PDB file of all heavy atoms in Angstrom:
ATOM      1  N   MET A   1       0.831  -1.198   0.000  1.00 93.00           N
ATOM      2  CA  MET A   1       0.000   0.000   0.000  1.00 93.00           C
ATOM      3  C   MET A   1       0.866   1.249   0.000  1.00 93.00           C
ATOM      4  O   MET A   1       2.056   1.216   0.350  1.00 93.00           O
ATOM      5  CB  MET A   1      -0.952   0.000   1.200  1.00 93.00           C
ATOM      6  CG  MET A   1      -0.278   0.033   2.546  1.00 93.00           C
ATOM      7  SD  MET A   1      -1.438  -0.318   3.898  1.00 93.00           S
ATOM      8  CE  MET A   1      -2.489   1.109   3.854  1.00 93.00           C
ATOM      9  N   ASP A   2       0.278   2.341  -0.367  1.00 94.00           N
ATOM     10  CA  ASP A   2       0.968   3.618  -0.440  1.00 94.00           C
ATOM     11  C   ASP A   2       1.416   4.041   0.955  1.00 94.00           C
ATOM     12  O   ASP A   2       0.645   3.993   1.915  1.00 94.00           O
ATOM     13  CB  ASP A   2       0.005   4.657  -1.030  1.00 94.00           C
ATOM     14  CG  ASP A   2       0.707   5.954  -1.422  1.00 94.00           C
ATOM     15  OD1 ASP A   2       1.685   6.342  -0.743  1.00 94.00           O
ATOM     16  OD2 ASP A   2       0.261   6.575  -2.394  1.00 94.00           O
ATOM     17  N   GLU A   3       2.655   4.481   1.078  1.00 96.00           N
ATOM     18  CA  GLU A   3       3.176   4.921   2.371  1.00 96.00           C
ATOM     19  C   GLU A   3       2.359   6.063   2.948  1.00 96.00           C
ATOM     20  O   GLU A   3       2.231   6.188   4.172  1.00 96.00           O
ATOM     21  CB  GLU A   3       4.636   5.360   2.229  1.00 96.00           C
ATOM     22  CG  GLU A   3       5.271   5.773   3.541  1.00 96.00           C
ATOM     23  CD  GLU A   3       6.722   6.171   3.389  1.00 96.00           C
ATOM     24  OE1 GLU A   3       7.504   5.368   2.836  1.00 96.00           O
ATOM     25  OE2 GLU A   3       7.061   7.294   3.825  1.00 96.00           O
ATOM     26  N   ALA A   4       1.764   6.872   2.092  1.00 97.00           N
ATOM     27  CA  ALA A   4       0.969   8.001   2.578  1.00 97.00           C
ATOM     28  C   ALA A   4      -0.232   7.527   3.387  1.00 97.00           C
ATOM     29  O   ALA A   4      -0.637   8.188   4.353  1.00 97.00           O
ATOM     30  CB  ALA A   4       0.505   8.854   1.399  1.00 97.00           C
ATOM     31  N   VAL A   5      -0.815   6.379   3.015  1.00 97.00           N
ATOM     32  CA  VAL A   5      -1.954   5.843   3.763  1.00 97.00           C
ATOM     33  C   VAL A   5      -1.488   5.346   5.128  1.00 97.00           C
ATOM     34  O   VAL A   5      -2.160   5.571   6.147  1.00 97.00           O
ATOM     35  CB  VAL A   5      -2.643   4.709   2.972  1.00 97.00           C
ATOM     36  CG1 VAL A   5      -3.822   4.144   3.765  1.00 97.00           C
ATOM     37  CG2 VAL A   5      -3.108   5.206   1.617  1.00 97.00           C
ATOM     38  N   ILE A   6      -0.330   4.685   5.160  1.00 98.00           N
ATOM     39  CA  ILE A   6       0.214   4.217   6.442  1.00 98.00           C
ATOM     40  C   ILE A   6       0.479   5.409   7.353  1.00 98.00           C
ATOM     41  O   ILE A   6       0.143   5.388   8.547  1.00 98.00           O
ATOM     42  CB  ILE A   6       1.503   3.398   6.225  1.00 98.00           C
ATOM     43  CG1 ILE A   6       1.225   2.182   5.343  1.00 98.00           C
ATOM     44  CG2 ILE A   6       2.082   2.960   7.575  1.00 98.00           C
ATOM     45  CD1 ILE A   6       2.459   1.380   4.986  1.00 98.00           C
ATOM     46  N   ARG A   7       1.066   6.457   6.807  1.00 98.00           N
ATOM     47  CA  ARG A   7       1.345   7.656   7.605  1.00 98.00           C
ATOM     48  C   ARG A   7       0.049   8.285   8.120  1.00 98.00           C
ATOM     49  O   ARG A   7       0.002   8.799   9.246  1.00 98.00           O
ATOM     50  CB  ARG A   7       2.132   8.667   6.780  1.00 98.00           C
ATOM     51  CG  ARG A   7       3.570   8.253   6.535  1.00 98.00           C
ATOM     52  CD  ARG A   7       4.362   9.345   5.842  1.00 98.00           C
ATOM     53  NE  ARG A   7       5.749   8.967   5.663  1.00 98.00           N
ATOM     54  CZ  ARG A   7       6.689   9.094   6.593  1.00 98.00           C
ATOM     55  NH1 ARG A   7       6.366   9.621   7.771  1.00 98.00           N
ATOM     56  NH2 ARG A   7       7.934   8.727   6.365  1.00 98.00           N
ATOM     57  N   ARG A   8      -1.001   8.223   7.331  1.00 98.00           N
ATOM     58  CA  ARG A   8      -2.284   8.771   7.765  1.00 98.00           C
ATOM     59  C   ARG A   8      -2.829   7.989   8.953  1.00 98.00           C
ATOM     60  O   ARG A   8      -3.349   8.569   9.911  1.00 98.00           O
ATOM     61  CB  ARG A   8      -3.277   8.734   6.602  1.00 98.00           C
ATOM     62  CG  ARG A   8      -4.570   9.483   6.862  1.00 98.00           C
ATOM     63  CD  ARG A   8      -5.438   9.512   5.622  1.00 98.00           C
ATOM     64  NE  ARG A   8      -6.726  10.134   5.892  1.00 98.00           N
ATOM     65  CZ  ARG A   8      -7.734  10.159   5.034  1.00 98.00           C
ATOM     66  NH1 ARG A   8      -7.590   9.599   3.832  1.00 98.00           N
ATOM     67  NH2 ARG A   8      -8.871  10.742   5.358  1.00 98.00           N
ATOM     68  N   ILE A   9      -2.703   6.661   8.909  1.00 98.00           N
ATOM     69  CA  ILE A   9      -3.130   5.825  10.037  1.00 98.00           C
ATOM     70  C   ILE A   9      -2.325   6.158  11.283  1.00 98.00           C
ATOM     71  O   ILE A   9      -2.871   6.356  12.379  1.00 98.00           O
ATOM     72  CB  ILE A   9      -2.991   4.330   9.685  1.00 98.00           C
ATOM     73  CG1 ILE A   9      -3.954   3.951   8.551  1.00 98.00           C
ATOM     74  CG2 ILE A   9      -3.243   3.455  10.916  1.00 98.00           C
ATOM     75  CD1 ILE A   9      -3.697   2.564   7.979  1.00 98.00           C
ATOM     76  N   LEU A  10      -1.007   6.246  11.126  1.00 98.00           N
ATOM     77  CA  LEU A  10      -0.130   6.513  12.262  1.00 98.00           C
ATOM     78  C   LEU A  10      -0.382   7.901  12.852  1.00 98.00           C
ATOM     79  O   LEU A  10      -0.355   8.084  14.075  1.00 98.00           O
ATOM     80  CB  LEU A  10       1.325   6.386  11.826  1.00 98.00           C
ATOM     81  CG  LEU A  10       1.776   4.982  11.401  1.00 98.00           C
ATOM     82  CD1 LEU A  10       3.145   5.044  10.736  1.00 98.00           C
ATOM     83  CD2 LEU A  10       1.803   4.031  12.590  1.00 98.00           C
ATOM     84  N   THR A  11      -0.642   8.881  11.991  1.00 98.00           N
ATOM     85  CA  THR A  11      -0.891  10.245  12.461  1.00 98.00           C
ATOM     86  C   THR A  11      -2.177  10.310  13.272  1.00 98.00           C
ATOM     87  O   THR A  11      -2.243  10.959  14.326  1.00 98.00           O
ATOM     88  CB  THR A  11      -0.956  11.208  11.272  1.00 98.00           C
ATOM     89  OG1 THR A  11       0.306  11.200  10.595  1.00 98.00           O
ATOM     90  CG2 THR A  11      -1.260  12.630  11.733  1.00 98.00           C
ATOM     91  N   ALA A  12      -3.218   9.616  12.788  1.00 98.00           N
ATOM     92  CA  ALA A  12      -4.484   9.603  13.527  1.00 98.00           C
ATOM     93  C   ALA A  12      -4.339   8.870  14.854  1.00 98.00           C
ATOM     94  O   ALA A  12      -4.824   9.338  15.897  1.00 98.00           O
ATOM     95  CB  ALA A  12      -5.571   8.956  12.682  1.00 98.00           C
ATOM     96  N   ALA A  13      -3.654   7.732  14.843  1.00 98.00           N
ATOM     97  CA  ALA A  13      -3.486   6.945  16.068  1.00 98.00           C
ATOM     98  C   ALA A  13      -2.674   7.698  17.114  1.00 98.00           C
ATOM     99  O   ALA A  13      -2.835   7.459  18.321  1.00 98.00           O
ATOM    100  CB  ALA A  13      -2.822   5.610  15.745  1.00 98.00           C
ATOM    101  N   GLN A  14      -1.849   8.626  16.676  1.00 98.00           N
ATOM    102  CA  GLN A  14      -1.031   9.390  17.611  1.00 98.00           C
ATOM    103  C   GLN A  14      -1.877  10.288  18.521  1.00 98.00           C
ATOM    104  O   GLN A  14      -1.404  10.756  19.555  1.00 98.00           O
ATOM    105  CB  GLN A  14      -0.004  10.234  16.839  1.00 98.00           C
ATOM    106  CG  GLN A  14       1.092  10.843  17.678  1.00 98.00           C
ATOM    107  CD  GLN A  14       1.941   9.804  18.402  1.00 98.00           C
ATOM    108  OE1 GLN A  14       2.073   8.669  17.935  1.00 98.00           O
ATOM    109  NE2 GLN A  14       2.494  10.175  19.549  1.00 98.00           N
ATOM    110  N   ARG A  15      -3.140  10.463  18.186  1.00 98.00           N
ATOM    111  CA  ARG A  15      -4.040  11.250  19.031  1.00 98.00           C
ATOM    112  C   ARG A  15      -4.609  10.427  20.182  1.00 98.00           C
ATOM    113  O   ARG A  15      -5.396  10.944  20.985  1.00 98.00           O
ATOM    114  CB  ARG A  15      -5.204  11.803  18.195  1.00 98.00           C
ATOM    115  CG  ARG A  15      -4.787  12.685  17.023  1.00 98.00           C
ATOM    116  CD  ARG A  15      -3.957  13.866  17.455  1.00 98.00           C
ATOM    117  NE  ARG A  15      -4.611  14.670  18.492  1.00 98.00           N
ATOM    118  CZ  ARG A  15      -4.037  15.689  19.122  1.00 98.00           C
ATOM    119  NH1 ARG A  15      -2.791  16.029  18.840  1.00 98.00           N
ATOM    120  NH2 ARG A  15      -4.706  16.358  20.043  1.00 98.00           N
ATOM    121  N   THR A  16      -4.205   9.184  20.323  1.00 98.00           N
ATOM    122  CA  THR A  16      -4.683   8.321  21.404  1.00 98.00           C
ATOM    123  C   THR A  16      -4.400   8.954  22.768  1.00 98.00           C
ATOM    124  O   THR A  16      -3.282   9.407  23.027  1.00 98.00           O
ATOM    125  CB  THR A  16      -3.981   6.951  21.338  1.00 98.00           C
ATOM    126  OG1 THR A  16      -4.261   6.346  20.082  1.00 98.00           O
ATOM    127  CG2 THR A  16      -4.432   6.041  22.459  1.00 98.00           C
ATOM    128  N   PRO A  17      -5.389   8.969  23.673  1.00 98.00           N
ATOM    129  CA  PRO A  17      -5.134   9.488  25.025  1.00 98.00           C
ATOM    130  C   PRO A  17      -4.261   8.521  25.817  1.00 98.00           C
ATOM    131  O   PRO A  17      -4.290   7.307  25.587  1.00 98.00           O
ATOM    132  CB  PRO A  17      -6.541   9.591  25.626  1.00 98.00           C
ATOM    133  CG  PRO A  17      -7.354   8.594  24.872  1.00 98.00           C
ATOM    134  CD  PRO A  17      -6.800   8.566  23.486  1.00 98.00           C
ATOM    135  N   SER A  18      -3.487   9.045  26.737  1.00 98.00           N
ATOM    136  CA  SER A  18      -2.636   8.210  27.588  1.00 98.00           C
ATOM    137  C   SER A  18      -2.456   8.878  28.944  1.00 98.00           C
ATOM    138  O   SER A  18      -2.646  10.098  29.088  1.00 98.00           O
ATOM    139  CB  SER A  18      -1.267   7.986  26.934  1.00 98.00           C
ATOM    140  OG  SER A  18      -0.622   9.231  26.670  1.00 98.00           O
ATOM    141  N   TRP A  19      -2.086   8.072  29.928  1.00 97.00           N
ATOM    142  CA  TRP A  19      -1.915   8.565  31.292  1.00 97.00           C
ATOM    143  C   TRP A  19      -0.847   9.653  31.322  1.00 97.00           C
ATOM    144  O   TRP A  19       0.290   9.431  30.900  1.00 97.00           O
ATOM    145  CB  TRP A  19      -1.515   7.398  32.196  1.00 97.00           C
ATOM    146  CG  TRP A  19      -1.598   7.709  33.671  1.00 97.00           C
ATOM    147  CD1 TRP A  19      -1.715   8.921  34.263  1.00 97.00           C
ATOM    148  CD2 TRP A  19      -1.575   6.743  34.724  1.00 97.00           C
ATOM    149  NE1 TRP A  19      -1.760   8.804  35.622  1.00 97.00           N
ATOM    150  CE2 TRP A  19      -1.677   7.464  35.951  1.00 97.00           C
ATOM    151  CE3 TRP A  19      -1.476   5.371  34.783  1.00 97.00           C
ATOM    152  CZ2 TRP A  19      -1.673   6.838  37.191  1.00 97.00           C
ATOM    153  CZ3 TRP A  19      -1.478   4.754  36.021  1.00 97.00           C
ATOM    154  CH2 TRP A  19      -1.583   5.475  37.206  1.00 97.00           C
ATOM    155  N   CYS A  20      -1.220  10.840  31.814  1.00 97.00           N
ATOM    156  CA  CYS A  20      -0.322  11.996  31.892  1.00 97.00           C
ATOM    157  C   CYS A  20       0.238  12.380  30.518  1.00 97.00           C
ATOM    158  O   CYS A  20       1.291  13.017  30.421  1.00 97.00           O
ATOM    159  CB  CYS A  20       0.837  11.737  32.860  1.00 97.00           C
ATOM    160  SG  CYS A  20       0.325  11.468  34.561  1.00 97.00           S
ATOM    161  N   ASN A  21      -0.453  11.951  29.463  1.00 98.00           N
ATOM    162  CA  ASN A  21      -0.014  12.202  28.088  1.00 98.00           C
ATOM    163  C   ASN A  21       1.393  11.664  27.837  1.00 98.00           C
ATOM    164  O   ASN A  21       2.166  12.210  27.045  1.00 98.00           O
ATOM    165  CB  ASN A  21      -0.066  13.705  27.760  1.00 98.00           C
ATOM    166  CG  ASN A  21      -0.008  13.976  26.264  1.00 98.00           C
ATOM    167  OD1 ASN A  21      -0.519  13.201  25.454  1.00 98.00           O
ATOM    168  ND2 ASN A  21       0.625  15.072  25.882  1.00 98.00           N
ATOM    169  N   ALA A  22       1.728  10.555  28.512  1.00 98.00           N
ATOM    170  CA  ALA A  22       3.069   9.981  28.385  1.00 98.00           C
ATOM    171  C   ALA A  22       3.338   9.421  26.993  1.00 98.00           C
ATOM    172  O   ALA A  22       4.487   9.371  26.553  1.00 98.00           O
ATOM    173  CB  ALA A  22       3.264   8.881  29.423  1.00 98.00           C
ATOM    174  N   GLN A  23       2.273   8.961  26.301  1.00 98.00           N
ATOM    175  CA  GLN A  23       2.424   8.394  24.952  1.00 98.00           C
ATOM    176  C   GLN A  23       3.542   7.343  24.929  1.00 98.00           C
ATOM    177  O   GLN A  23       4.549   7.495  24.238  1.00 98.00           O
ATOM    178  CB  GLN A  23       2.712   9.511  23.940  1.00 98.00           C
ATOM    179  CG  GLN A  23       1.672  10.624  23.933  1.00 98.00           C
ATOM    180  CD  GLN A  23       2.100  11.826  23.116  1.00 98.00           C
ATOM    181  OE1 GLN A  23       2.426  11.699  21.941  1.00 98.00           O
ATOM    182  NE2 GLN A  23       2.121  12.994  23.755  1.00 98.00           N
ATOM    183  N   PRO A  24       3.372   6.247  25.693  1.00 98.00           N
ATOM    184  CA  PRO A  24       4.456   5.282  25.868  1.00 98.00           C
ATOM    185  C   PRO A  24       4.756   4.422  24.654  1.00 98.00           C
ATOM    186  O   PRO A  24       5.777   3.726  24.619  1.00 98.00           O
ATOM    187  CB  PRO A  24       3.956   4.415  27.025  1.00 98.00           C
ATOM    188  CG  PRO A  24       2.468   4.456  26.887  1.00 98.00           C
ATOM    189  CD  PRO A  24       2.167   5.873  26.452  1.00 98.00           C
ATOM    190  N   TRP A  25       3.884   4.433  23.661  1.00 98.00           N
ATOM    191  CA  TRP A  25       4.077   3.557  22.516  1.00 98.00           C
ATOM    192  C   TRP A  25       5.221   4.032  21.620  1.00 98.00           C
ATOM    193  O   TRP A  25       5.478   5.214  21.436  1.00 98.00           O
ATOM    194  CB  TRP A  25       2.783   3.496  21.691  1.00 98.00           C
ATOM    195  CG  TRP A  25       2.208   4.853  21.399  1.00 98.00           C
ATOM    196  CD1 TRP A  25       2.563   5.726  20.399  1.00 98.00           C
ATOM    197  CD2 TRP A  25       1.188   5.519  22.155  1.00 98.00           C
ATOM    198  NE1 TRP A  25       1.816   6.876  20.475  1.00 98.00           N
ATOM    199  CE2 TRP A  25       0.968   6.788  21.528  1.00 98.00           C
ATOM    200  CE3 TRP A  25       0.420   5.174  23.274  1.00 98.00           C
ATOM    201  CZ2 TRP A  25       0.023   7.703  22.007  1.00 98.00           C
ATOM    202  CZ3 TRP A  25      -0.513   6.085  23.746  1.00 98.00           C
ATOM    203  CH2 TRP A  25      -0.704   7.332  23.113  1.00 98.00           C
ATOM    204  N   ARG A  26       5.927   3.077  21.080  1.00 98.00           N
ATOM    205  CA  ARG A  26       6.842   3.283  19.959  1.00 98.00           C
ATOM    206  C   ARG A  26       6.475   2.207  18.948  1.00 98.00           C
ATOM    207  O   ARG A  26       6.152   1.082  19.322  1.00 98.00           O
ATOM    208  CB  ARG A  26       8.307   3.161  20.372  1.00 98.00           C
ATOM    209  CG  ARG A  26       8.771   4.259  21.307  1.00 98.00           C
ATOM    210  CD  ARG A  26       8.837   5.608  20.595  1.00 98.00           C
ATOM    211  NE  ARG A  26       9.291   6.673  21.497  1.00 98.00           N
ATOM    212  CZ  ARG A  26       8.519   7.401  22.265  1.00 98.00           C
ATOM    213  NH1 ARG A  26       7.208   7.168  22.296  1.00 98.00           N
ATOM    214  NH2 ARG A  26       9.001   8.345  23.028  1.00 98.00           N
ATOM    215  N   VAL A  27       6.524   2.549  17.674  1.00 98.00           N
ATOM    216  CA  VAL A  27       6.011   1.652  16.643  1.00 98.00           C
ATOM    217  C   VAL A  27       7.052   1.468  15.547  1.00 98.00           C
ATOM    218  O   VAL A  27       7.638   2.442  15.056  1.00 98.00           O
ATOM    219  CB  VAL A  27       4.714   2.221  16.024  1.00 98.00           C
ATOM    220  CG1 VAL A  27       4.106   1.224  15.040  1.00 98.00           C
ATOM    221  CG2 VAL A  27       3.709   2.582  17.111  1.00 98.00           C
ATOM    222  N   ILE A  28       7.285   0.215  15.191  1.00 98.00           N
ATOM    223  CA  ILE A  28       8.118  -0.124  14.043  1.00 98.00           C
ATOM    224  C   ILE A  28       7.185  -0.651  12.965  1.00 98.00           C
ATOM    225  O   ILE A  28       6.426  -1.588  13.203  1.00 98.00           O
ATOM    226  CB  ILE A  28       9.162  -1.198  14.399  1.00 98.00           C
ATOM    227  CG1 ILE A  28      10.111  -0.689  15.488  1.00 98.00           C
ATOM    228  CG2 ILE A  28       9.951  -1.628  13.158  1.00 98.00           C
ATOM    229  CD1 ILE A  28      10.998  -1.764  16.088  1.00 98.00           C
ATOM    230  N   THR A  29       7.210  -0.048  11.778  1.00 98.00           N
ATOM    231  CA  THR A  29       6.395  -0.543  10.678  1.00 98.00           C
ATOM    232  C   THR A  29       7.296  -1.138   9.600  1.00 98.00           C
ATOM    233  O   THR A  29       8.434  -0.698   9.416  1.00 98.00           O
ATOM    234  CB  THR A  29       5.530   0.573  10.055  1.00 98.00           C
ATOM    235  OG1 THR A  29       6.384   1.570   9.483  1.00 98.00           O
ATOM    236  CG2 THR A  29       4.634   1.217  11.096  1.00 98.00           C
ATOM    237  N   THR A  30       6.779  -2.143   8.910  1.00 98.00           N
ATOM    238  CA  THR A  30       7.570  -2.805   7.873  1.00 98.00           C
ATOM    239  C   THR A  30       6.813  -2.835   6.554  1.00 98.00           C
ATOM    240  O   THR A  30       5.590  -2.923   6.521  1.00 98.00           O
ATOM    241  CB  THR A  30       7.933  -4.246   8.268  1.00 98.00           C
ATOM    242  OG1 THR A  30       6.747  -5.055   8.277  1.00 98.00           O
ATOM    243  CG2 THR A  30       8.597  -4.311   9.629  1.00 98.00           C
ATOM    244  N   SER A  31       7.574  -2.779   5.489  1.00 97.00           N
ATOM    245  CA  SER A  31       7.065  -2.923   4.134  1.00 97.00           C
ATOM    246  C   SER A  31       8.100  -3.703   3.325  1.00 97.00           C
ATOM    247  O   SER A  31       9.270  -3.795   3.713  1.00 97.00           O
ATOM    248  CB  SER A  31       6.843  -1.553   3.471  1.00 97.00           C
ATOM    249  OG  SER A  31       5.942  -0.762   4.198  1.00 97.00           O
ATOM    250  N   GLY A  32       7.676  -4.249   2.200  1.00 97.00           N
ATOM    251  CA  GLY A  32       8.599  -4.851   1.255  1.00 97.00           C
ATOM    252  C   GLY A  32       9.544  -5.870   1.867  1.00 97.00           C
ATOM    253  O   GLY A  32       9.142  -6.809   2.554  1.00 97.00           O
ATOM    254  N   ALA A  33      10.854  -5.651   1.616  1.00 97.00           N
ATOM    255  CA  ALA A  33      11.872  -6.601   2.069  1.00 97.00           C
ATOM    256  C   ALA A  33      11.900  -6.728   3.588  1.00 97.00           C
ATOM    257  O   ALA A  33      12.213  -7.801   4.124  1.00 97.00           O
ATOM    258  CB  ALA A  33      13.244  -6.168   1.551  1.00 97.00           C
ATOM    259  N   ALA A  34      11.584  -5.650   4.301  1.00 98.00           N
ATOM    260  CA  ALA A  34      11.599  -5.702   5.769  1.00 98.00           C
ATOM    261  C   ALA A  34      10.513  -6.633   6.297  1.00 98.00           C
ATOM    262  O   ALA A  34      10.731  -7.371   7.267  1.00 98.00           O
ATOM    263  CB  ALA A  34      11.420  -4.310   6.346  1.00 98.00           C
ATOM    264  N   THR A  35       9.339  -6.621   5.653  1.00 98.00           N
ATOM    265  CA  THR A  35       8.279  -7.540   6.064  1.00 98.00           C
ATOM    266  C   THR A  35       8.685  -8.971   5.769  1.00 98.00           C
ATOM    267  O   THR A  35       8.467  -9.877   6.589  1.00 98.00           O
ATOM    268  CB  THR A  35       6.958  -7.214   5.340  1.00 98.00           C
ATOM    269  OG1 THR A  35       6.575  -5.876   5.636  1.00 98.00           O
ATOM    270  CG2 THR A  35       5.847  -8.154   5.791  1.00 98.00           C
ATOM    271  N   GLU A  36       9.279  -9.209   4.604  1.00 98.00           N
ATOM    272  CA  GLU A  36       9.687 -10.573   4.253  1.00 98.00           C
ATOM    273  C   GLU A  36      10.764 -11.091   5.201  1.00 98.00           C
ATOM    274  O   GLU A  36      10.746 -12.258   5.599  1.00 98.00           O
ATOM    275  CB  GLU A  36      10.191 -10.626   2.806  1.00 98.00           C
ATOM    276  CG  GLU A  36       9.089 -10.502   1.776  1.00 98.00           C
ATOM    277  CD  GLU A  36       7.972 -11.512   2.001  1.00 98.00           C
ATOM    278  OE1 GLU A  36       8.270 -12.717   2.136  1.00 98.00           O
ATOM    279  OE2 GLU A  36       6.801 -11.097   2.055  1.00 98.00           O
ATOM    280  N   ALA A  37      11.693 -10.225   5.586  1.00 98.00           N
ATOM    281  CA  ALA A  37      12.742 -10.634   6.527  1.00 98.00           C
ATOM    282  C   ALA A  37      12.148 -10.996   7.875  1.00 98.00           C
ATOM    283  O   ALA A  37      12.561 -11.978   8.518  1.00 98.00           O
ATOM    284  CB  ALA A  37      13.771  -9.519   6.677  1.00 98.00           C
TER     285      ALA A  37
END
């Protein structure tokens, strides 16, 4: 899929509420060769 769509998902999800706005998540996304590996 187009990277722009993935970025749109990630940008929206970044608005998730969290305790004290700590935003503890870190996310690794894969495409292409990285997914196959």
Side-chain angles (χ1 to χ4, degrees):
M1 63 192 292
D2 192 327
E3 183 179 306
V5 179
I6 300 175
R7 288 186 177 277
R8 190 175 175 188
I9 295 169
L10 295 169
T11 298
Q14 192 61 27
R15 302 303 306 174
T16 300
S18 58
W19 193 346
C20 297
N21 196 34
Q23 305 170 55
W25 49 83
R26 293 291 180 272
V27 185
I28 298 169
T29 63
T30 69
S31 301
T35 301
E36 287 307 309

